[in-house]
Amino acid sequence: MKVLISGASIAGPVLAYWLSRHGVDVTVVEHSPALRKTGGHAVDLFRPAMEISERMGVLSDIEAHATGTTALIVHRPGTARPARLDYLKIIGAMSDRHVEIMRDDLSEIYYRAGRDDVEYLFGDTITSISPDGDVTFEHNGPRRFDVVVGADGLHSGVRRLTFGDNVSESFLGGYLSVVSVPKGMARDGEMTGHFKPGHMAGIYTADHLDDARAVFIFRPSRPLDYDYRDADRQKSQLRAAFEHMGPEVDRWLGEVPTTPTFYFDAITQLEMATWSRGRVTLVGDAGYCPGPAVGGSTSLAVYGAYVLAAEMARAGDDYAAAFAAYERTMLAPVVGSRKLARVNAKTVVPNSNWGIRALVGAGRLISVLPLGVTQSLARLNTKGVRLYDTMPLPDWPAPFNGTG
């Protein structure tokens, strides 16, 4: 079987690794000329994604690239003294097994794990996909594949070619931006955050990074006149949203015009009745993005790639059966992640001073309680904060046992 995957970020390399391990001929096409170094933000891997990474033999590398954040320093309106929260206890209430890692680092680790057995076409884009699997590219010559997988993110080109505009996008009311700033602006092991109603600005770094990352999330009273491809306008909108929030935040904003890497996007959720049509299916944010920064999309993408690979290995040449089984397994986690993201989008960045006080108060309570107590309470809510720890990993079909 020949499989084409579009996208070399997270889900694409994970899917390519597992399919190639089962003897599938895999090609990955990536629009960027090399692995993207976008200055992206830190992402979370929860228990199932950690176990999948361990089976790939890359967990030690992932842990070595953890951000190392242990404390949250929170500045609030009307309070001169910041609150110091125990980040490890807060995240420990959500997951028994977790790591925070920069998205670019994670992408490179997954890519290295399978690159020797996978063909990568960098600097190219799919331009058409026929029902028979004939694919044309912007630069390479046409080829035929048995299956095409879109793992190319929220603004997926494969999804557009296959489903057109038959996709429901729900704006969750906020915007996320990540800006590369000088490393000296942050303190090792700490994330410093400033809150005001509808706004959160934070900064952090890691030992192995050459820079620091300033993160901005805001919820304006009405949607912006926004184009995800227009970086200059995005920078102006970001500065307008956060200027005069405080001297420290103003210094971060001062780096925006000259930053080497800049990310800005709406926090948007995808809802599709199916992620498959004919020989084409979608994985990760391309098919079921719950919302950047609020829905655990990275762990969901790793999990989805593993489930899809397992079902394709189990079904052999019957890709329709594989897609159906993949969607059955993913339905509950995807629906759960959507619900959780809609809640998080409102609670992570409160729209009132009272909401900010409540958020910080909850963090303080978790910080002082024994970890075992908060974990026991959190385990009672498998559809909430423990959702991503409870996604069951499918068994791998014979003859491959999936132990890497």
Side-chain angles (χ1 to χ4, degrees):
M1 174 178 278
K2 292 185 176 182
V3 174
L4 174 65
I5 301 169
S6 177
S9 182
I10 302 297
V14 173
L15 177 62
Y17 173 90
W18 288 108
L19 289 179
S20 66
R21 293 282 288 172
H22 208 79
V24 176
D25 184 354
V26 182
T27 298
V28 178
V29 60
E30 166 58 46
H31 174 71
S32 298
L35 282 183
R36 283 182 284 182
K37 294 293 183 181
T38 60
H41 55 89
V43 296
D44 297 295
L45 291 185
F46 298 108
R47 173 176 289 279
M50 295 280 282
E51 292 182 4
I52 292 165
S53 301
E54 188 171 36
R55 295 179 186 188
M56 294 173 69
V58 298
L59 184 58
S60 60
D61 200 4
I62 288 173
E63 292 175 333
H65 285 82
T67 62
T69 300
T70 61
L72 305 177
I73 311 301
V74 182
H75 298 264
R76 299 150 292 162
T79 304
R81 185 177 180 180
R84 184 179 183 90
L85 309 180
D86 189 326
Y87 174 76
L88 295 181
K89 278 192 174 181
I90 292 172
I91 204 70
M94 299 169 60
S95 177
D96 293 334
R97 196 177 190 192
H98 165 272
V99 70
E100 182 185 67
I101 182 173
M102 303 307 297
R103 185 180 184 88
D104 290 347
D105 290 335
L106 184 62
S107 175
E108 184 171 359
I109 290 169
Y110 285 147
Y111 163 73
R112 289 200 308 261
R115 64 183 172 185
D116 293 339
D117 300 312
V118 175
E119 178 189 23
Y120 276 85
L121 303 176
F122 287 101
D124 210 347
T125 304
I126 298 172
T127 55
S128 70
I129 307 168
S130 79
D132 294 328
D134 294 313
V135 176
T136 60
F137 301 89
E138 186 175 352
H139 300 297
N140 281 275
R143 299 195 199 180
R144 172 169 285 195
F145 296 91
D146 299 294
V147 166
V148 178
V149 181
D152 45 350
L154 179 59
H155 305 291
S156 169
V158 171
R159 187 183 67 237
R160 185 179 64 254
L161 289 172
T162 306
F163 293 91
D165 296 328
N166 189 26
V167 178
S168 174
E169 295 188 7
S170 299
F171 175 54
L172 299 187
Y175 298 86
L176 166 69
S177 182
V178 184
V179 180
S180 174
V181 301
K183 189 179 179 76
M185 288 186 164
R187 291 183 288 272
D188 288 342
E190 293 182 356
M191 178 174 183
T192 299
H194 292 261
F195 283 82
K196 72 176 184 179
H199 298 72
M200 189 287 293
I203 195 168
Y204 63 93
T205 188
D207 287 344
H208 66 281
L209 293 180
D210 296 326
D211 64 353
R213 305 292 163 85
V215 181
F216 303 87
I217 303 177
F218 64 105
R219 298 169 58 199
S221 58
R222 61 179 59 89
L224 300 178
D225 179 12
Y226 156 75
D227 182 346
Y228 76 89
R229 295 160 295 192
D230 188 346
D232 288 339
R233 181 165 177 77
Q234 293 164 10
K235 291 178 180 181
S236 296
Q237 291 170 323
L238 176 64
R239 290 196 298 270
F242 283 90
E243 62 184 354
H244 309 310
M245 190 169 173
E248 187 171 29
V249 177
D250 284 343
R251 285 196 295 272
W252 305 342
L253 291 174
E255 300 295 325
V256 170
T258 57
T259 183
T261 52
F262 176 78
Y263 171 89
F264 188 103
D265 210 345
I267 300 177
T268 302
Q269 186 172 101
L270 291 181
E271 294 188 33
M272 301 177 65
T274 178
W275 312 307
S276 309
R277 178 171 292 175
R279 298 176 181 271
V280 179
T281 194
L282 306 172
V283 66
D285 283 355
Y288 36 82
C289 178
V294 296
S297 59
T298 301
S299 282
L300 194 64
V302 173
Y303 180 74
Y306 183 84
V307 170
L308 176 58
E311 296 303 340
M312 289 181 66
R314 198 184 324 277
D317 293 336
D318 191 350
Y319 59 83
F323 293 171
Y326 159 62
E327 296 201 14
R328 284 195 300 270
T329 300
M330 291 301 298
L331 181 60
V334 167
V335 171
S337 71
R338 289 174 186 161
K339 293 178 180 178
L340 182 59
R342 289 194 289 269
V343 173
N344 287 344
K346 297 178 180 179
T347 58
V348 172
V349 183
N351 261 342
S352 67
N353 285 323
W354 179 90
I356 294 172
R357 288 195 297 271
L359 181 67
V360 174
R364 278 177 158 166
L365 180 61
I366 293 173
S367 297
V368 299
L369 286 175
L371 180 59
V373 173
T374 57
Q375 287 181 333
S376 296
L377 292 173
R379 288 192 189 102
L380 300 176
N381 186 8
T382 59
K383 295 182 180 180
V385 295
R386 303 290 293 196
L387 170 69
Y388 295 106
D389 257 26
T390 57
M391 299 185 298
L393 291 182
D395 294 327
W396 268 82
F400 181 58
N401 62 15
T403 59

